[in-house]
Amino acid sequence: MTEAYIYDAIRTPRGKGRKDGSLHEVTSAKLSAGVLNALKERNNLTGHAVEDVIWGNVTQVKEAGGCLARTAVLASELDQSIPGLAINRFCASGMEAVNLAANQVRGGAGEAYIAGGVEMMGRVPMGSDGAAIAVDPSIAMETYFVPQGISADIIATEYGFSRDDADQLAVASQQRADAAWKDNRFARSIVPVKDQNGLTILDTDEYMRPQTDMQSLGALNAAFEAMGTTMPGFDKVALMKYPHLEAINHIHTAGNSSGIVDGAAGVLIGSKEYGEKMGLKPRARIRQTAKIGTDPTIMLTGPVPVTHKILADSGMSIGDIDLFEVNEAFSSVVLRFMQAFNVDHSKVNVNGGSIAMGHPLGATGAIIIGTLLDELERSDKEVGLATLCIASGMGAATIIERV
């Protein structure tokens, strides 16, 4: 089987996903096109330089609808002979784009791909696509559907995580992200967003709150308690599924959950022969990919079983992994991962995560793969694993190895 290599991995800074956010006037297609243009320029991609552009985005409606991947190609400076494929695996869409591209290369279906994703959460709000899993009663009732925040609180209740546990992880995320930016650890990957006149709109992650401490987090109200305890009373739905729990402990707040932001990321993936032909040096080998379905009510535990699966598929153990990127959708997701594998926090999200910098749904999977690669190189480590929880109960993971 042909090996698949990462030749480049870039991302935009993440803007606050609201009307006063720096990227609010940029469309999904334009932000994606900027990433494609940067990959083209950085790697001298001319003509039909890649087989396809595989692009994840979650809320595929209005300006983010249609086949956004193809729209982004046409809005970019890439050759129009390159097609585009838009995909959606909720929060893992960007990772699934990378994994799909890698497996296409490994299977011989083309020498190279650009993969990644985008989400402009301030322009196309999460949930505005009216997903059946949430709004169709015949499905929601059968699956004991609850909103993700309730699922995160179920994890905390089931596995014994306190509000202090969640807040401590959030403070660490903020401190690590701040230190990483000050140390220029993202410099290789960040592509500033510019307007049509070439003026920089945003060149740093603007969601971060480095002054965050336990006291400021402790003053925040539980974000999902009201929806759990008042009509329609999602706690009652959860307790029908998990009757051994006496009550749901609502520990998550806006401060220990991921931020709503705008952003995009892209990865150039190709075979060894492609790199030699293009004069490019591979940075890492995509060693293994995996995905799995999980309980749709607790929903967000997917990183645990998918990590078991990817380790078994690759013949590895948890001790073979030097660094981990576990998306910080909610604090309890990361806390459960570390608990399940007895992994020290010093190896997990060492440069902060989505609690500090935000979670642009369709882009995050590609972002954390790039962040993992940058940190493996910076710290002179060899093997890393990236994983995400996924709405409706799924998990995805990727193992990369420096070359």
Side-chain angles (χ1 to χ4, degrees):
M1 182 177 289
T2 302
E3 296 285 2
Y5 296 91
I6 296 175
Y7 287 96
D8 202 3
I10 63 174
R11 71 170 177 95
T12 68
R14 286 169 268 198
K16 294 177 182 178
R18 56 196 194 203
K19 291 184 178 180
D20 62 350
S22 294
L23 300 181
H24 184 68
E25 298 304 316
V26 185
T27 67
S28 302
K30 286 295 186 181
L31 195 69
S32 300
V35 172
L36 298 180
N37 288 340
L39 286 170
K40 177 182 186 295
E41 181 178 352
R42 285 163 60 118
N43 300 283
N44 193 29
L45 305 179
T46 59
H48 193 83
V50 296
E51 186 75 16
D52 203 353
V53 171
I54 306 177
W55 213 243
N57 68 299
V58 174
T59 311
Q60 298 186 355
V61 294
K62 297 185 178 179
E63 67 184 48
C67 181
L68 180 60
R70 176 59 175 167
T71 306
V73 170
L74 295 176
S76 76
E77 298 170 2
L78 289 178
D79 194 280
Q80 67 178 7
S81 65
I82 299 171
L85 172 64
I87 67 167
N88 180 2
R89 200 187 291 278
F90 293 126
C91 297
S93 297
M95 174 176 285
E96 191 60 35
V98 172
N99 290 354
L100 179 58
N103 289 328
Q104 292 281 84
V105 170
R106 294 169 77 187
E111 286 188 317
Y113 288 75
I114 292 174
V118 66
E119 210 74 39
M120 301 302 293
M121 300 181 74
R123 295 181 62 90
V124 186
M126 179 172 55
S128 58
D129 54 348
I133 186 67
V135 303
D136 185 336
S138 68
I139 299 174
M141 291 175 67
E142 289 289 331
T143 58
Y144 295 90
F145 170 83
V146 298
Q148 288 187 33
I150 302 293
S151 298
D153 287 336
I154 296 172
I155 294 173
T157 308
E158 177 74 11
Y159 295 102
F161 304 126
S162 69
R163 172 71 178 268
D164 278 354
D165 293 333
D167 286 351
Q168 286 169 2
L169 188 137
V171 170
S173 181
Q174 296 284 353
Q175 292 174 343
R176 291 176 177 191
D178 183 50
W181 270 101
K182 288 177 177 176
D183 197 32
N184 293 318
R185 296 184 186 182
F186 302 130
R188 181 170 184 176
S189 299
I190 292 291
V191 176
V193 181
K194 299 184 178 182
D195 65 15
Q196 60 187 8
N197 297 313
L199 300 176
T200 297
I201 299 174
L202 186 65
D203 58 7
T204 58
D205 292 322
E206 70 173 347
Y207 184 79
M208 295 187 301
R209 292 155 291 177
Q211 73 282 1
T212 298
D213 56 24
M214 291 294 288
Q215 288 70 34
S216 61
L217 290 182
L220 299 176
N221 293 325
F224 309 105
E225 185 171 14
M227 71 170 62
T229 57
T230 60
M231 292 300 293
F234 285 109
D235 281 9
K236 293 182 179 179
V237 177
L239 293 173
M240 285 192 290
K241 185 72 173 285
Y242 306 103
H244 62 284
L245 301 177
E246 293 184 5
I248 305 301
N249 183 19
H250 293 285
I251 70 164
H252 287 94
T253 69
N256 58 34
S257 307
S258 58
I260 294 174
V261 295
D262 303 325
V267 182
L268 177 61
I269 299 159
S271 65
K272 181 180 179 181
E273 291 73 20
Y274 176 81
E276 292 172 348
K277 180 173 66 177
M278 298 291 292
L280 300 174
K281 182 179 179 181
R283 296 175 61 190
R285 175 170 69 101
I286 298 180
R287 183 161 175 171
Q288 193 72 43
T289 70
K291 60 271 189 183
I292 201 166
T294 64
D295 180 346
T297 305
I298 201 168
M299 194 186 305
L300 307 174
T301 55
V304 174
V306 82
T307 296
H308 283 300
K309 184 178 189 299
I310 200 170
L311 291 174
D313 290 348
S314 60
M316 303 175 72
S317 69
I318 200 72
D320 295 324
I321 309 298
D322 297 313
L323 293 172
F324 300 87
E325 284 289 322
V326 183
N327 185 40
E328 295 174 352
F330 300 90
S331 286
S332 63
V333 174
V334 182
L335 292 169
R336 173 56 189 151
F337 181 89
M338 294 190 296
Q339 179 191 66
F341 293 103
N342 194 28
V343 174
D344 191 87
H345 196 195
S346 63
K347 293 184 176 182
V348 181
N349 303 344
V350 299
N351 292 312
S354 292
I355 290 173
M357 293 175 283
H359 176 20
L361 306 177
T364 302
I367 288 174
I368 66 173
I369 288 173
T371 299
L372 180 62
L373 175 54
D374 284 344
E375 183 58 25
L376 286 172
E377 292 174 337
R378 188 195 72 83
S379 59
D380 196 24
K381 300 289 185 7
E382 298 299 321
V383 180
L385 183 150
T387 184
L388 302 95
C389 61
I390 308 174
S392 77
M394 294 184 282
T398 309
I399 294 175
I400 63 173
E401 181 180 20
R402 284 178 60 206
V403 295

